[in-house]
Amino acid sequence: MPSFHPPLRTLMGPGPSDVHPRVLAAMAQPTIGHLDPAFVGLMDDIKDLLRRAFKTRNAVTFPVSGPGSVGMEACFVNLVEPGDTVIVCRNGVFGGRMKENVERCGASAVVIDDPWTRAVDPQRLEDALKAHPQARIVAFVMAETSTGALSDARTLVDIAHRHGALAIVDAVTALGGVELDVDAWDIDAIYSGTQKCLSCPPGLAPVSFNERALAKVRARKTPVHSWFLDLNLVLGYWAGEARRSYHHTAPINALYGLHEALVMLHEEGLEAAWARHALHHRALRAGAEALGLELLGADGERLPQLNVIGIPPGIDDARVRQTLLADFDLEIGAGLGEFAGKAWRVGLMGQSASRRHVLTCLVALASALAAQGRTVNREAALAAEQAIYG
Ligand SMILES: *Cc1c(COP(=O)(O)O)cnc(C)c1O
């Protein structure tokens, strides 16, 4: 059996995003023990770097071992008890997974649906909380990767608190790509992933819990049904100050990578990273529109890091994506759920938010559309992106 050599791709899907060689080099360093004093020092640095990325002072801020979905489970299994009522705001696929989590915790989910591509409607959350005063938790996806919608986390958390509920926020795609301020917005529990705007390989889920959330975990009447994700246990490893006890073997080299990616994020500056995502989104949008393509979504609610582009009638979705991959080594995302076959999802996440990526995508799309007989004006698209960059 020969070794595996992956092709060199340009990743512009909904994650993973392109990983910087600095992060890959960090991950190739020698593996050490997960209780080695040097490793314990690295863990403290990672917690510190994550607090800065989330803009929080929460002591309980660390990466759960596992992909973003495990971060989601960690929040739900710890905070939700059997018999609880949880309001789930659903405006895409990932909100649907939140509902699944709630129900598997033995709680009942009150789902409020918003149209796909639209942000969660604060008024409907308010109404749902009035109609279900027993609800103790509100959950929503800040950056819906299936629809490209950005919701107003600050307002939604405020509403939850005014009704005595805690807020669980999915920031898997949000973190590092758009403004997020866990402490100023008073978010109770939040989870993310590494392979979106942090530009790490997948496999870790940064989470953060405030005191209010921890109090709810401590007040549980029933033990957390997941041994692996029980905060009370896992914190013996991640938060044990003087001595850390074995809980599970941390993914050592993956954590080297996360550390380096966070160092890079802070070298650039959080605000600068958000502005970079916004800039390249504007250029991609201008270029795509000049190609006669339409970005779905409503003004002020579009994610810069995940662009949902309608597939024009008569265009073969799968063939376009095959052409991009075969001829340009470019990966973009297919539509998910309601958007399967109807839209593409073009990611500008982390290292994939650059002018090189925008240009590659516009040129490749122009070529793939022309190959299917559609008249496209490539020069107009390039002029439009150039006008944004000035
Ligand atoms: C990608 C994603 C997830 C799941 O993350 P995985 O790493 O694939 O498990 C959850 N929520 C949102 C909004 C995502 O974009």
Side-chain angles (χ1 to χ4, degrees), residues 67-69 72 94 97 141 143 145 170 172-173 195-196:
S69 306
M72 184 187 284
F94 292 101
R97 291 191 179 178
V141 179
T145 323
D170 178 319
V172 177
T173 284
Q195 78 276 25
K196 314 243 170 156

Side-chain angles (χ1 to χ4, degrees), residues 33 35 44 59 123 130 151 165-166 168 174 196 227 238 249 253 258 318 337:
L35 292 170
D44 286 336
Q123 186 57 50
K130 280 186 190 141
S151 289
L166 302 185
I168 297 178
K196 314 243 170 156
W227 176 87
W238 270 98
T249 310
N253 292 55
L258 176 58

Side-chain angles (χ1 to χ4, degrees), residues 7-72:
L8 257 186
R9 304 287 199 209
T10 296
L11 299 180
M12 297 186 71
S17 53
D18 279 342
V19 179
H20 195 279
R22 267 177 67 178
V23 172
L24 296 173
M27 294 175 74
Q29 298 196 86
T31 303
I32 59 176
H34 67 111
L35 292 170
D36 187 306
F39 191 69
V40 170
L42 178 83
M43 291 166 75
D44 286 336
D45 290 346
I46 289 173
K47 288 195 290 181
D48 197 46
L49 289 161
L50 277 179
R51 281 187 200 107
R52 286 196 248 164
F54 276 128
K55 300 196 87 161
T56 182
R57 297 162 70 103
N58 287 344
V60 177
T61 303
F62 68 100
V64 178
S65 303
S69 306
V70 173
M72 184 187 284

